[in-house]
Amino acid sequence: RDGSSDVCSADLPLNISISVKTLVKFQRENTTDFFLFGLFYGVLLAMVLYNLLLYISLKDRTFLYYVLYMAFTSAYQFFSFGQAMTFTGIAPQTAGPIMYFCSGAGLFWAAQFCRTFLSTRETAPLFDRGLLVFMVLAVLGVVLGLAGLYWQSQAVEGLAGLAFPPAAIAAGLISLKKGFRPAMFYVVAWFFLLLAILVWSLRALGVIPQTQLVSYLFPVCTVLEALLLSLALGDRIRILRQEKETLQVRERRLLELSVTDGLTGLYNRRYLDSRLYSEVALALELGQPLSVLILDVDNFKKFNDAYGHQEGDRVLTGLAKVMRDCAREGDIVCRMGGEEFAVILPGTTAGSGLGVAERIRRAF
């Protein structure tokens, strides 16, 4: 560094390898770089926009954390690979703080995404606290970067980058063991990125040199992770929808059982009382007629004593079937208890209600 020059006054830590190439080879590699990095940023942008639309539609914060994680990770690479300075003309003094801010923010939202996606607070409390530590380190790295302490910021974020993937994978394996199937995509995604993050962090710490292979490894693995995490989110939505539908079916079933007579399948006395109250109120409000039939099986006790309760049950279920067959759509057929039954007939006059009653009596 030339002390009289301010070209490198940002004092950014650099780790590059020096090589000599022909002009043709340099131009060919440059064209390849433009194509591959354009493809890389295009896929990431598509994933960010797609999941942003899902967040707007579903209002699920997990999608928002994914979007923030991928957006800041992409921005960090856009600056660290030099495209930002090339296309925008941003000076190193400005690019340095932005780059370390994006790096720390990416780690912060990655940890928050893991916590929300895996529900680690409930499924893995120990790892949840560990993820909170990574979020604190991410904030520390951002503060150091904004303060111009780039070496210190890079050390904090680099070491956190080395330790974070194993912790994220371990939390995913715990969730997978507990039956959370979307964690499979999540774990595979972090396994793919683990190698790249290890190599990239070692490069940032100066352990290994910057090479063409290292340059392509991190973007390729980032794209694979983005795709796999998006699949994990989709699988999570599918499973949550299935669980919601199952829960709704179960709730409907429980509701039916709570208002249904177990023997005849008709509505029970509880439902009759609540429904009769609302039907009377509605009939009065609309000024429409309302009839109610009360039915009782003659000599039912003597029949039970003579033929047994099993035959008596057959009489009750037979009557229930007759009542359902004779009732119209919209009529409410109930068993009051014992051998007593009732039918609520909305919009029915007394004369029409008597006709329904006679039709049931004759059929029975």
Side-chain angles (χ1 to χ4, degrees):
R1 177 184 175 213
D2 182 358
S4 63
S5 171
D6 58 357
V7 174
C8 297
S9 60
D11 198 22
L12 297 176
L14 300 175
N15 178 27
I16 60 175
S17 56
I18 305 299
S19 60
V20 178
K21 301 175 183 178
T22 66
L23 180 60
V24 174
K25 185 177 181 181
F26 173 76
Q27 290 175 337
R28 184 168 59 248
E29 290 184 356
N30 214 29
T31 302
T32 302
D33 277 350
F34 273 106
F35 174 78
L36 291 179
F37 278 101
L39 181 64
F40 158 64
Y41 291 126
V43 172
L44 286 182
L45 180 61
M47 290 294 98
V48 167
L49 293 177
Y50 172 70
N51 285 278
L52 180 60
L53 290 175
L54 288 177
Y55 166 69
I56 295 173
S57 174
L58 301 174
K59 299 297 187 294
D60 187 338
R61 288 182 298 173
T62 312
F63 287 94
L64 177 62
Y65 299 148
Y66 170 91
V67 167
L68 291 171
Y69 166 45
M70 285 301 162
F72 280 113
T73 299
S74 303
Y76 165 71
Q77 295 187 45
F78 190 59
F79 277 91
S80 65
F81 284 112
Q83 287 99 354
M85 280 75 83
T86 300
F87 291 109
T88 64
I90 296 177
Q93 297 92 326
T94 305
I98 296 177
M99 182 172 66
Y100 288 103
F101 173 81
C102 291
S103 176
L107 176 61
F108 181 91
W109 292 115
Q112 183 61 31
F113 169 78
C114 294
R115 295 182 66 222
T116 308
F117 179 79
L118 299 175
S119 301
T120 53
R121 185 179 298 178
E122 295 80 22
T123 60
L126 178 62
F127 284 99
D128 185 71
R129 289 192 287 271
L131 292 173
L132 287 174
V133 171
F134 283 113
M135 295 174 73
V136 172
L137 291 176
V139 173
L140 177 60
V142 169
V143 172
L144 292 173
L146 294 177
L149 303 174
Y150 303 123
W151 287 102
Q152 293 85 342
S153 177
Q154 184 162 273
V156 170
E157 294 179 1
L159 291 173
L162 283 168
F164 180 74
I169 290 172
L173 290 174
I174 290 175
S175 295
L176 187 61
K177 185 178 180 180
K178 292 184 177 181
F180 186 54
R181 288 180 296 172
M184 179 179 65
F185 289 109
Y186 167 91
V187 170
V188 174
W190 279 103
F191 267 120
F192 263 111
L193 197 63
L194 176 59
L195 174 62
I197 290 181
L198 287 173
V199 173
W200 196 252
S201 298
L202 292 173
R203 178 212 61 83
L205 294 172
V207 178
I208 61 175
Q210 174 72 40
T211 64
Q212 199 75 5
L213 178 61
V214 172
S215 298
Y216 291 147
L217 181 63
F218 196 89
V220 169
C221 290
T222 301
V223 168
L224 289 174
E225 185 204 27
L227 293 171
L228 287 167
L229 289 181
S230 188
L231 287 174
L233 285 169
D235 196 34
R236 174 177 173 270
I237 290 297
R238 181 182 61 82
I239 289 177
L240 290 177
R241 184 180 292 114
Q242 289 177 346
E243 292 177 350
K244 183 179 180 180
E245 291 174 353
T246 301
L247 182 61
Q248 289 174 342
V249 170
R250 187 177 302 168
E251 289 178 347
R252 285 197 298 268
R253 180 59 181 160
L254 290 174
L255 179 61
E256 290 173 0
L257 291 175
S258 69
V259 298
T260 302
D261 175 59
L263 175 64
T264 63
L266 302 179
Y267 290 117
N268 59 19
R269 178 62 181 269
R270 177 190 300 176
Y271 185 81
L272 171 66
D273 291 342
S274 62
R275 189 62 184 269
L276 184 58
Y277 180 85
S278 61
E279 290 295 334
V280 169
L282 182 63
L284 291 173
E285 181 180 352
L286 300 178
Q288 294 181 348
L290 174 70
S291 295
V292 179
L293 308 184
I294 304 295
L295 296 83
D296 181 270
V297 180
D298 293 341
N299 303 315
F300 186 70
K301 185 177 183 304
K302 291 182 180 180
F303 184 89
N304 265 343
D305 293 340
Y307 300 101
H309 289 283
Q310 187 173 357
E311 289 299 311
D313 288 346
R314 288 182 61 192
V315 170
L316 297 178
T317 54
L319 176 56
K321 183 178 184 306
V322 168
M323 293 174 66
R324 279 195 295 263
D325 293 341
C326 294
R328 306 160 305 171
E329 184 178 358
D331 295 341
I332 300 103
V333 184
C334 309
R335 182 186 178 190
M336 298 175 63
E339 72 275 22
E340 297 178 341
F341 296 80
V343 185
I344 303 175
L345 304 170
T348 304
T349 62
S352 299
L354 183 60
V356 176
E358 181 62 15
R359 188 162 64 247
I360 292 175
R361 189 188 69 79
R362 289 180 177 275
F364 181 59

